[in-house]
Amino acid sequence: MKHFVLFFLLAILVHQEYYCFNVEASGGDGFVRTRGIHFMLNGNPYYANGFNAYWLMYTAADPSQRFKVSNAFHEATSHGLTVARTWAFSDGGYSPLQYSPGFYNEQMFKGLDFVIAEARKHGIKLILSLVNNYESFGGKKQYVNWARSNNGQYLTSDDDFFRNPVVKGFYINHVKTVLNRYNSFTGIHYKDDSTIMAWELMNEPRCTSDPSGRTIQAWITEMASLVKSIDRNHLLEAGLEGFYGQSTPQRTQLNPALNIGTDFIANNRIPDIDFATVHCYPDQWEQNSNEQDQLAFLNNWLNAHFLDAQYALKKPILVAEFGKSFKDSGYSTYQRDQLFNTVYYKIYASAKRGGPASGAMFWQLLTEGMESFDDGYGITLGQSSSTANVIAQQSHKLYLIRKIYARIANERRWKRARGNRRSSRFGGNRGGQIGF
């Protein structure tokens, strides 16, 4: 109790000293928006704890398995989680959403309809990714293969996904189809549904054939403009992992030993990209380092990205993926909790001082009976664990921050309204009608 009383006092003092939200009532349409380096929801600053669950649509396509989606959302909300990131793609292969360019499996689409409807019921916002960089669920490789086999295109690289006009046409059609989809459960078109927080252009885009970054930069610019031409309601992000590129050579030393053709600063400066994302996998990226060095990397990685989001990009940032696999050598739950606590503390500290970090989504949430989907990073909240407690504590901290700022904003609105009424009563509205 003492901790939370101190937290309230400190947050209010920090708020008054460092920054002030000029918040206006937004009409409460339920869409998450941005204002400067902050997310806003219904006129108030928005902070959220969340999770990844790529399997939601795939599982919900089978009506007999939909209870697993409902259970996962119920367990998530019971731990204070309010944002989920999942796939709005499955291209070719087994049980696809899109089985051929422009041709869709209605049963799979109804699975996605159900996911959105169920998220709405539980008060969970969704970030929906539109294609995969990797072969899982088709991805860019499937798009390129379609162009080869269906259209006779001579393509030598999966990276032609970003360059070839035929392949880009396939992707553009998919974007239009998803955004204009009429939800069979809610009766709302996706592009009009406030349950969706944001679209993601691609899960972890990479173009190793062009390390200069120009190819990815051009593709994000083109596709972001396309999305915004169809849907101005929703936020948009690129799906980046956060690797620095040629626009900030002094930052590239922070990258793990990967050169993947993206540029955190240049890519996120594109005007139609509303917020930045960063992923954190020290256990994958720094495999030859010990636990302390991996945590040091994580601290430096997040510090740099949060600073750049605030001062270079002037946009909010989400930690869109992070986790630790139980398959790692020497793994312990304590190590996983340490990583979660490190990420969460960085976000909490940023939010408390009015910084750009607004939440994180761990990889990945599972529920009972989902063992076959566990890639080593799975967390089942229903199974009591120390990690589940760490997650719930972070949710509560961010909830308190939201409550503080909402209260401050409401007080300001009340004072303005009282001032307006007083002004009207004493002649400030002469010649016009007084409305309350």
Side-chain angles (χ1 to χ4, degrees):
M1 179 60 70
K2 286 182 181 178
H3 168 77
F4 289 119
V5 171
L6 287 172
F7 166 73
F8 266 108
L9 294 174
L10 179 60
I12 291 172
L13 288 172
V14 170
H15 171 89
Q16 291 173 341
E17 181 177 355
Y18 285 99
Y19 69 109
C20 173
F21 285 112
N22 180 20
V23 181
E24 301 292 340
S26 70
D29 62 6
F31 286 95
V32 179
R33 308 189 192 281
T34 62
R35 182 176 297 162
I37 60 172
H38 302 110
F39 290 112
M40 307 293 290
L41 177 62
N42 298 336
N44 295 316
Y46 181 66
Y47 299 93
N49 209 18
F51 61 94
N52 284 271
Y54 75 87
W55 50 270
L56 293 173
M57 174 182 66
Y58 178 87
T59 300
D62 180 351
S64 71
Q65 298 297 303
R66 286 176 182 165
F67 71 94
K68 294 179 180 177
V69 174
S70 302
N71 288 348
F73 284 159
H74 174 74
E75 291 163 6
T77 54
S78 71
H79 287 73
L81 298 170
T82 56
V83 175
R85 177 172 170 264
T86 193
W87 298 165
F89 63 79
S90 180
D91 306 305
Y94 179 73
S95 295
L97 171 62
Q98 184 179 199
Y99 59 85
S100 185
F103 293 91
Y104 289 83
N105 178 342
E106 181 61 19
Q107 189 62 31
M108 189 66 78
F109 238 143
K110 285 182 177 177
L112 187 55
D113 290 348
F114 177 82
V115 169
I116 296 171
E118 200 68 4
R120 185 183 187 89
K121 192 182 300 182
H122 285 83
I124 291 175
K125 298 291 186 184
L126 296 174
I127 296 177
L128 298 180
S129 188
L130 294 165
V131 72
N132 205 2
N133 178 73
Y134 310 106
E135 291 185 39
S136 299
F137 295 91
K140 68 183 183 185
K141 184 181 184 69
Q142 179 63 74
Y143 274 81
V144 170
N145 285 341
W146 277 335
R148 288 191 185 113
S149 58
N150 296 6
N151 295 76
Q153 297 291 299
Y154 179 72
L155 304 175
T156 59
S157 167
D158 292 345
D159 287 347
D160 288 328
F161 174 90
F162 301 109
R163 295 182 283 254
N164 181 267
V166 171
V167 179
K168 288 197 289 185
F170 293 162
Y171 175 78
I172 289 168
N173 180 74
H174 178 64
V175 170
K176 291 178 178 178
T177 302
V178 172
L179 271 58
N180 288 303
R181 168 74 177 180
Y182 177 83
N183 191 314
S184 58
F185 288 90
T186 65
I188 304 171
H189 290 93
Y190 287 11
K191 65 183 179 182
D192 298 322
D193 194 339
S194 61
T195 306
I196 299 166
M197 173 179 171
W199 302 109
E200 178 178 278
L201 291 179
M202 186 179 215
N203 172 49
E204 299 190 341
R206 295 183 174 190
C207 185
T208 55
S209 63
D210 182 9
S212 76
R214 286 189 291 270
T215 298
I216 287 278
Q217 183 77 0
W219 184 83
I220 293 174
T221 301
E222 179 181 358
M223 298 310 169
S225 176
L226 166 75
V227 171
K228 289 297 187 177
S229 73
I230 301 168
D231 179 3
R232 303 299 302 188
N233 286 325
H234 290 104
L235 301 177
L236 179 66
E237 49 102 348
L240 298 170
E241 298 160 271
F243 300 119
Y244 289 99
Q246 293 189 6
S247 69
T248 51
Q250 72 280 7
R251 284 292 205 205
T252 56
Q253 62 182 347
L254 292 169
N255 290 344
L258 295 168
N259 193 353
I260 61 168
T262 60
D263 188 318
F264 176 75
I265 299 296
N267 298 159
N268 282 308
R269 274 184 172 151
I270 294 169
D272 288 322
I273 296 299
D274 295 301
F275 64 96
T277 60
V278 60
H279 296 185
C280 308
Y281 289 107
D283 61 344
Q284 291 183 23
W285 298 344
E286 300 287 309
Q287 291 181 10
N288 297 323
S289 300
N290 60 35
E291 193 69 19
Q292 289 69 35
D293 288 343
Q294 288 182 11
L295 287 175
F297 166 84
L298 178 61
N299 273 288
N300 292 334
W301 185 248
L302 293 178
N303 285 341
H305 286 82
F306 292 178
L307 282 171
D308 288 336
Q310 182 160 2
Y311 297 110
L313 300 174
K314 297 179 174 59
K315 295 179 181 182
I317 186 168
L318 284 179
V319 180
E321 287 188 28
F322 73 99
K324 185 171 181 61
S325 173
F326 68 73
K327 297 179 181 179
D328 294 344
S329 175
Y331 166 85
S332 69
T333 305
Y334 172 78
Q335 290 178 349
R336 183 171 70 182
D337 291 351
Q338 221 181 358
L339 181 136
F340 272 63
N341 274 318
T342 300
V343 173
Y344 284 160
Y345 177 76
K346 290 290 184 186
I347 290 164
Y348 167 71
S350 173
K352 191 172 64 172
R353 64 174 174 78
S358 300
M361 293 168 282
F362 65 84
W363 186 278
Q364 63 164 328
L365 177 69
L366 300 176
T367 190
E368 299 288 344
M370 301 295 299
E371 290 77 14
S372 62
F373 289 85
D374 196 345
D375 54 3
Y377 292 87
I379 294 174
T380 303
L381 296 172
Q383 299 171 351
S384 180
S385 73
S386 57
T387 308
N389 291 333
V390 170
I391 291 166
Q393 288 168 13
Q394 176 74 356
S395 297
H396 190 61
K397 287 181 179 180
L398 294 182
Y399 168 77
L400 290 177
I401 289 178
R402 288 175 64 184
K403 291 286 285 184
I404 289 169
Y405 296 145
R407 180 178 177 180
I408 292 170
N410 288 334
E411 287 176 355
R412 285 186 180 145
R413 292 181 193 127
W414 180 78
K415 287 178 180 176
R416 277 200 299 272
R418 186 175 66 173
N420 290 339
R421 286 197 297 270
R422 189 173 290 168
S423 175
S424 298
R425 288 171 61 190
F426 291 103
N429 194 33
R430 289 185 183 131
Q433 292 182 328
I434 300 174
F436 292 92

